[in-house]
Amino acid sequence: QVQLVESGGGLVQPGGSLRLSCAASGSIFSVTDMGWYRQRSGRERDLVAVITSGGSTNYADSVKGRFAISRDNSENTVYLHLNSLKPEDTAVYYCNADVIDHTGGYLEVWGQGTLVTVSS
């Protein structure tokens, strides 16, 4: 009923940049918080950045000053700009959204994941 579709992952060299996109679609009344998580091989999925509907942001310490989260509310899309990339940023990145659907229900929706590989 509600889907998140991610794009933008790929291979990039250390120090490079990448932009991830995640668009929500379906039976959406409102999108509240949106965020990005990442899961490195053999590790748990961790929060990278979150942005509220009002534009407030929060970042994991490991990406502060390097990554930037933004959103386009008219398109129900969240972006993650990854700059000054390091090999340890290599992970599958998942977007997440808290959604109120047209029935008034609260949904937590995940994207399918997109792989970011940082390697020379």
Side-chain angles (χ1 to χ4, degrees), residues 4-16:
L4 300 181
V5 179
E6 302 180 31
S7 63
L11 176 64
V12 63
Q13 293 185 342

Side-chain angles (χ1 to χ4, degrees), residues 30-98:
S30 179
V31 180
T32 55
D33 295 345
M34 303 187 80
W36 290 93
Y37 292 70
R38 67 185 180 186
Q39 188 166 20
R40 285 165 270 190
S41 180
R43 302 176 65 171
E44 296 179 349
R45 189 176 300 184
D46 295 321
L47 179 68
V48 175
V50 64
I51 184 167
T52 70
S53 59
S56 297
T57 60
N58 194 30
Y59 297 90
D61 287 342
S62 59
V63 306
K64 285 181 179 177
R66 299 190 297 119
F67 292 7
I69 188 170
S70 61
R71 65 192 289 169
D72 182 345
N73 290 333
S74 69
E75 298 289 338
N76 290 324
T77 299
V78 62
Y79 304 94
L80 186 68
H81 297 81
L82 299 80
N83 304 304
S84 301
L85 283 161
K86 305 174 181 179
E88 53 262 43
D89 295 320
T90 296
V92 178
Y93 285 73
Y94 298 89
C95 63
N96 171 270
D98 294 327

